[in-house]
Amino acid sequence: MTSLPGQRAPVSKVTAVVAPIVLGAALIALWQLLVRAFHIHDTIVPAPSDIWHQLTEEHTLIFDTTRKTGWNALQGLVIGTVVGIVGALLAHGVRVLREMAAPIVVAVSVMPIVALGPVLYGLFGGMTDTARIVVAGIAVAIPVYLNTLRGLQQVRAVHRDLMLAYSSTPWQRTWAVTLPTATPYLFTGLRIGSSLAVISALITEYFGGPSDGLGFTINNEAKSGAFALAWAAVVGSIVLGLIFYIVTYAVERWFARHR
């Protein structure tokens, strides 16, 4: 495809994929070179080769802890998404509820959500995953609620009036006008929430609970001096966050194509 004068040439899909990979490989190579050249101790930052060695040696541990944290984050993502969407629909339909919920949403959004970890462990018990799921759910519900509500409010009055003039049912108006308008906003909130779910579930593991998640592994291995293994667990958390984001993005693209 040729570009018009004054316009930038479109970036090919191959370039969009290869360029970040090449840049990432170059940064990792530079990281390895600097650590070896300046004899940087692993207490500051281990070499990528040492991290890779731990990833291969302790792959079972990394996989199991990543899977556990991912499962808690997934449950929080689903619960938070449902709560956020239902709350946005209610707030959009009932103005009084929207005004009552506004200060609560603001208070929760500025609250350091991970600080709830110790409180929720005391409430639900320190040997269950409930606190981690609840924290992840709250972290997800806020952006999903705010973005979905904004999307619902973007429907133009002229479009609603046109549907009413055709004697459409509430479901027809919702399907033909409201959902197409609100869906991009919903998925924006969902993409934000997918990352927050992983971060919240992982950080809450620092404060207690079962010793089977990435957060516990990172904290425990760093305290015991196994810094390369702690960084290997960090790599697991990065991969987990990317998986959540990519899956959410893929669902959004699939929904856009099949609308």
Side-chain angles (χ1 to χ4, degrees), residues 160 163-178:
R160 289 196 297 266
M163 294 298 292
L164 288 172
Y166 282 106
S167 301
S168 61
T169 64
W171 170 248
Q172 289 173 329
R173 292 194 295 272
T174 300
W175 182 256
V177 177
T178 306

Side-chain angles (χ1 to χ4, degrees), residues 219-235:
N219 190 32
N220 187 60
E221 300 303 333
K223 286 181 178 179
S224 63
F227 295 100
L229 182 54
W231 275 82
V234 171
V235 173

